Amino acid sequence: MAADPRKAAGQELRRAREDKGLSIRAASRRAQEWLQERDKSASFSEALWRNLERGERSVSAGLTVPANPKPQNILAASAVAGIDPVVLLAA
C-alpha cells in the first residue's frame, strides 16, 4: 500500500520546522504573521499546524479525516518552514 501523500508532506513539514529550531507554537505564530501581512482576516493556529504535520484532523473523539487546509495556509506554512509549497500542495 502506498504511503498517504498528506502524511508524507506533513513529515517533510515537521522535518523542516525542526531543522529551523522552531516549536509548533513559534511556527504557527510566524505563519499567522505571514498571513496577516497579506490578508488581515486570515488566521493560522497551532492546531492547524499540527493538522498539517499529521496530515489529518480530528472531527470527534477517535475519528479523523484527511487535513484539507486552505491554499493560503499551505503557502504560509511552507514560507515559515522554508520548503517549496508544491510539496504541501501536491498532497
Side-chain angles (χ1 to χ4, degrees):
M1 183 166 140
D4 181 340
R6 287 183 177 102
K7 290 187 180 192
Q11 290 171 353
E12 180 64 27
L13 180 64
R14 179 183 206 133
R15 273 192 296 274
R17 175 183 58 78
E18 290 175 343
D19 286 350
K20 288 187 165 282
L22 296 173
S23 66
I24 289 176
R25 175 175 284 179
S28 62
R29 284 182 179 166
R30 288 185 185 186
Q32 175 68 24
E33 291 167 3
W34 189 93
L35 282 173
Q36 290 289 301
E37 290 174 4
R38 289 148 183 85
D39 179 358
K40 296 293 183 197
S41 66
S43 65
F44 199 109
S45 66
E46 288 179 51
L48 174 57
W49 194 283
R50 280 190 213 90
N51 292 344
L52 287 172
E53 286 190 2
R54 286 192 339 251
E56 61 188 17
R57 63 184 175 89
S58 298
V59 292
S60 67
L63 181 62
T64 60
V65 296
N68 191 23
K70 295 177 182 177
Q72 68 187 18
N73 291 334
I74 290 173
L75 293 173
S78 62
V80 169
I83 61 175
D84 187 340
V86 172
V87 170
L88 300 178
L89 288 168

